[in-house]
Amino acid sequence: MKNEACTYILIIANNDLDKLRRTVDSLLKQTVERELLRILIIDNASQNDTYSRLIDYEIEYPELISVIREKKPTTKGRLLKRMIRHLRYAEVGSSMILEPGDIICPDLIKNANMILRLKESLGSLIYETDIWDGQTIKSQTPIFTSNCVITKLCEDVYYKSGIGHKVLIFHRGLPIGLTVKLPYYEVVVKSHDWLSAAYHRNEANGYMKETGGCIYTEAQDMKKELIEWSFFIKRNFYAIETQVFSTKNSLNVQKEAVYSAYNCLSIMALQYAVQILKKGAIEEAEDILIFAEMMNLDIENDSRFLQLRQAVLAGNYEETLETLFVVKSEIPPRVSFQF
């Protein structure tokens, strides 16, 4: 790779060439000058022909794409660190971490670099994004408040479904100062399962209202999601209390934020209960309601919970139950980009 102040895109490939093609295609369509863009792909010891096909990309675009290979499978966090070490002598102007399947709007890199040049205090730009499951694109409810990424992500009012919000993050320089080991509950930015707090906590962040593109997500297993998020939240609180993997003092944890995190999880459970009730699984829906109560003892004061419990006791599903969790935005919708 040339030693130039370019934008570096970091991608980890792991037996997922079909999804990766869509990502690379969106990068090839970027309107930024080609000589100012570099793509670094690391293959995580793929067992199929992913690596050989990636080499074909490198041969076709030698000035643009570089591929390195990990001989033994390892964690994505370690692979990210290896890529950063690989670029330690490169003059990196900006960077972005993508996963196979993620796609970005054609003007994103060009416009993001322009914003970073104009606003020197910004360490990163946080873009809204939509969700792509391989077939359809689901538009996320946008979050427009400037500081919500840091302080309000656990409030269920910001999510149409699920506890996390998918974002794209464009960094000034390399993402060296990331919190990758243990993201705190107040930054539940589920941009990727392995990099939940993917921004510089000590620097200013620009929050972009427009959609940055689509992030790929596998079909959601709600039961698995509830278990994982329960563990995620509990682990973070335990780490803060014991200072394991954390320097944050438990005295600084506000009770409102703790309540908000568990309340968000309980609302997620209620949404899942509606899906199960729709399938006629009354007993399972009842168990999910018990889970929601365990996460938030005050949920009995929530009218949505009361209506849902009545429906479960009566064994009667109504379509109006699904409308209980639709959040109406008070702000104009963003302009979505058609891919």
Side-chain angles (χ1 to χ4, degrees):
M1 284 192 174
K2 290 184 178 181
N3 186 18
E4 297 177 357
C6 301
T7 296
Y8 283 78
I9 307 297
L10 312 180
I11 305 174
I12 295 175
N14 190 9
N15 297 315
D16 39 24
L17 184 64
D18 290 338
K19 292 182 288 185
L20 184 60
R21 284 197 188 99
R22 187 177 177 99
T23 302
V24 174
D25 183 54
S26 76
L27 292 171
L28 294 176
K29 291 178 180 178
Q30 290 297 302
T31 56
V32 68
E33 294 85 347
R34 185 65 63 84
E35 60 270 16
L36 298 178
L37 180 63
R38 300 286 183 270
I39 304 171
L40 177 59
I41 306 174
I42 186 167
D43 177 66
N44 191 18
S46 297
Q47 299 301 310
N48 54 17
D49 62 343
T50 297
Y51 179 64
S52 61
R53 301 298 293 273
L54 289 176
I55 293 300
D56 291 340
Y57 270 128
E58 188 175 42
I59 293 172
E60 186 175 359
Y61 304 99
E63 301 296 319
L64 177 66
I65 299 177
S66 292
V67 180
I68 55 180
R69 179 170 172 80
E70 188 74 17
K71 294 181 179 179
K72 294 181 180 180
T74 186
T75 63
K76 292 180 178 179
R78 290 180 179 176
L79 293 174
L80 174 62
K81 290 178 181 178
R82 181 180 175 185
M83 284 193 288
I84 291 175
R85 285 198 304 269
H86 183 79
L87 297 173
R88 63 187 181 276
Y89 299 120
E91 193 177 336
V92 181
S94 54
S95 63
M96 175 178 281
I97 302 168
L98 296 178
E99 286 194 351
D102 296 351
I103 55 180
I104 57 178
C105 296
D107 293 327
L108 186 142
I109 294 178
K110 182 178 180 179
N111 292 340
N113 279 321
M114 179 181 67
I115 293 172
L116 290 182
R117 284 195 299 268
L118 293 174
K119 299 185 178 181
E120 296 182 356
S121 62
L122 294 178
S124 62
L125 298 173
I126 301 173
Y127 282 88
E128 285 287 355
T129 131
D130 295 328
I131 306 300
W132 173 62
D133 63 5
Q135 297 179 347
T136 58
I137 294 176
K138 174 186 173 184
S139 180
Q140 287 280 90
T141 302
I143 307 175
F144 283 179
T145 52
S146 61
N147 66 340
C148 66
V149 173
I150 299 176
T151 60
K152 298 182 180 179
L153 276 179
C154 288
E155 296 183 15
D156 63 275
V157 69
Y158 291 106
Y159 312 110
K160 206 162 188 177
S161 63
I163 193 174
H165 198 79
K166 304 277 184 172
V167 294
L168 283 169
I169 299 144
F170 192 87
H171 303 276
R172 184 191 299 279
L174 281 171
I176 297 175
L178 300 183
T179 305
V180 294
K181 262 192 175 179
L182 187 65
Y184 297 118
Y185 62 89
E186 77 267 30
V187 284
V188 188
V189 188
K190 195 180 177 187
S191 56
H192 301 93
D193 59 347
W194 55 283
L195 203 58
S196 296
Y199 59 89
H200 300 265
R201 293 174 62 88
N202 298 324
E203 294 185 16
N205 305 287
Y207 197 81
M208 313 308 294
K209 297 180 180 180
E210 67 271 16
T211 177
C214 298
I215 286 184
Y216 178 83
T217 183
E218 301 285 350
Q220 190 179 41
D221 183 340
M222 287 293 291
K223 187 178 295 185
K224 182 181 177 183
E225 286 277 304
L226 288 173
I227 295 172
E228 288 182 350
W229 279 111
S230 300
F231 171 75
F232 174 83
I233 295 172
K234 187 66 177 178
R235 181 189 66 172
N236 279 275
F237 291 151
Y238 174 79
I240 291 172
E241 292 171 358
T242 60
Q243 296 188 1
V244 176
F245 301 120
S246 171
T247 57
K248 187 166 184 175
N249 194 302
S250 59
L251 296 178
N252 295 327
V253 180
Q254 298 180 358
K255 291 183 179 180
E256 291 78 7
V258 176
Y259 172 82
S260 184
Y262 280 112
N263 180 61
C264 187
L265 189 60
S266 66
I267 298 302
M268 182 179 174
L270 294 184
Q271 292 173 308
Y272 182 43
V274 172
Q275 297 178 22
I276 296 301
L277 184 60
K278 187 176 183 179
K279 296 178 181 178
I282 307 298
E283 292 184 1
E284 188 174 351
E286 190 173 2
D287 289 340
I288 297 169
L289 290 184
I290 294 174
F291 173 86
E293 287 185 90
M294 291 169 60
M295 295 298 105
N296 179 11
L297 297 177
D298 295 329
I299 201 170
E300 288 192 347
N301 299 321
D302 191 314
S303 60
R304 294 172 294 184
F305 172 79
L306 296 175
Q307 290 184 54
L308 189 52
R309 185 169 64 178
Q310 260 189 341
V312 170
L313 291 175
N316 183 28
Y317 167 78
E318 297 180 0
E319 290 186 1
T320 54
L321 293 173
E322 295 188 28
T323 64
L324 296 176
F325 302 96
V326 175
V327 179
K328 294 182 179 180
S329 177
E330 298 179 355
I331 47 183
R334 63 186 174 188
V335 178
S336 294
F337 186 89
Q338 300 299 318
F339 297 93

